[in-house]
Amino acid sequence: MALNALNETYDIANTQLEAAKKSSKVSGYFSGYYNYLKKKGDSPTDTAQEGASTARPTSSYPPNSVLRAHVLKAECCLQIAILQLLQESVMGYVKCGLNLRRAYSSYSYVWSEYQKMGADHLAFMDSDTISGVQFGIGSVHLVLSALPAKILKAISAFGWQPNKKYGFVLLNECRQSKRVRSSMATIMLLAYYTAAISFAPQIMSDVYKKTAMEILLDAQKYHPNSAVFLFFAGRMARNGLDLPLSTQSFLYAAEISRGEWAEVAVTNSCRFEMAINHMLTGNWSHAAATFEYLYEQQYWSPAFCRYAQGACYEMMGERTEAILIFAEVPQLVVKKLGGRLSDIDSYVLRKIAMFQKSGYQNLDFYAPILEFMCIWNIFPYVSPELLTEALNRIQRGLAAIQKCENIEQEQRMMELAPDAPMPDYFDERASLLVAKASILNVLGRPEDTTLDINWILDHKECILQDTWTVPYALWEAGVSCWSLDLKNKSRQVWEMALDHGKHDFEHRLAVRLNLALTHTEELGYTEPQPTEPIDDKKRFSVALDQPSTNNSIASSS
């Protein structure tokens, strides 16, 4: 519905511009004839004085209505691009880039006219149009700066580099002007800050949290009952580790949106965030109930909401109920995006297939909800006590895998050339180890992640299903190095993660890596990665701890 409305608005603005081109020829003829008659009746002295007093005739500027139509057309492209960006798919990113390019073309035309007008711009362009173009150009720079490098190359030929600082400047000018797009500029800034922090809280929280809070508090002075700003208040409260306030803000935002045109969208978004908060506090029954509500509302991905509900039941120890819910998930997956599955639907469908392969007998080898929390990078918001419980749950899973492998090995020792295959639990162990490394990093034990991460990297050729575990393990390796103040090595490891592709949530991780790598470059950590030639048997290692010890994070070449 949003895309239809934006496309229709785009067509209306484009039609206005086409009509302006046709009318300009006729109006130009009569305007020129009128000026000819006027000059003919004026004295030479008057004509000279008039020419000296005006550096550029008013008629040489496009009418304000035309400039505003360009801004409306561009903003439609911008908002379509943002919706496509949220799809987190290759095609979505490409379409996003193309629409940003179209938006920037119109915005830059209006901006160039605005600059030509100089100090007298208000005589030819109203303040709301200026606000619109400031919002637009600032947003384009900000959104583009967050896109992964691979996507920018795939889009190709933008002809310019996004300037994040310039985007911040324009959006802040627009926000402070208190004109028609001031609120939108505030929302764009808050969306960027909260997204950047949530993608990489251990890296970006200290960078943006204070600025985001200042902008949010200023916005709430003018809009104290805005559901949108209350939603951001909930996100910022979570970033500040105040989960009760976060949940209260989401509840109030949902309550205040009742009867509004966006009631369903706001309520469902708030419910999803509340489900996340319930998971963060270990309130699995409330989380399961909330995911069930979202499934009934067909929110985002019904298949994922059902999967998450079952995963919460599994954490409560209600395995029978969890299995019954898991069994419904494959029927809920809907193909879209040109016949392809979305990242989240593809992920849950594959996980259910892995559960069903053993007839749900090996669920002890998995921790589905903890795996999701690791991928979404929300362990930093969990209390140390609950993290310790989660760590114990993962340890039990690893022990169950080890026990099963021992039994199978003993059976194989009973006969020569046994028909039974070798134990193959690489995927199950890898997913548990990535979650374990993530928890250890949050608990302030980065030096304890070395063996777990190295195991994943050493056995990456054996991990055939959960291939996402390898690049996500490299992300955690970079976080470990960051915690140990080895920031150059963090950058090197994160660059290694970029070399992996075609895995679950590839583009989500790519955005996270882009944010972290950009931040390291801004801090001046640009030491090049070692380039010594290495053969197939030599391991490339990155020391994780101080040089006086021998721990390392290593990967097979």
Side-chain angles (χ1 to χ4, degrees), residues 288-318:
T290 306
F291 280 121
E292 183 179 19
Y293 169 85
L294 293 170
Y295 156 70
E296 292 170 352
Q297 292 290 312
Q298 298 291 291
Y299 175 73
W300 185 34
S301 165
F304 169 76
C305 291
R306 204 64 167 158
Y307 173 83
Q309 181 190 358
C312 290
Y313 276 111
E314 171 65 16
M315 286 297 289
M316 289 188 287
E318 299 182 23

Side-chain angles (χ1 to χ4, degrees), residues 260-291:
E260 299 292 340
W261 64 271
E263 176 185 356
V264 174
V266 172
T267 300
N268 288 342
S269 297
C270 290
R271 290 269 188 166
F272 181 81
E273 297 298 335
M274 284 189 282
I276 297 292
N277 283 353
H278 291 320
M279 293 194 310
L280 296 176
T281 54
N283 196 339
W284 305 113
S285 59
H286 280 74
T290 306
F291 280 121

Side-chain angles (χ1 to χ4, degrees), residues 84-144:
Q84 291 164 338
L85 177 67
L86 296 176
Q87 293 176 357
E88 294 188 6
S89 67
V90 176
M91 188 56 65
Y93 279 122
V94 172
K95 289 181 178 179
C96 167
L98 294 175
N99 274 300
L100 287 176
R101 185 178 180 181
R102 291 166 64 194
Y104 193 78
S105 177
S106 291
Y107 279 132
S108 60
Y109 168 74
V110 180
W111 187 252
S112 64
E113 292 298 322
Y114 166 70
Q115 290 178 318
K116 291 174 187 176
M117 293 172 188
D120 296 330
H121 59 269
L122 289 176
F124 313 110
M125 186 188 301
D126 68 276
S127 299
D128 289 334
T129 303
I130 296 170
S131 173
V133 75
Q134 286 175 332
F135 164 73
I137 293 180
S139 298
V140 170
H141 278 285
L142 211 57
V143 173
L144 275 175

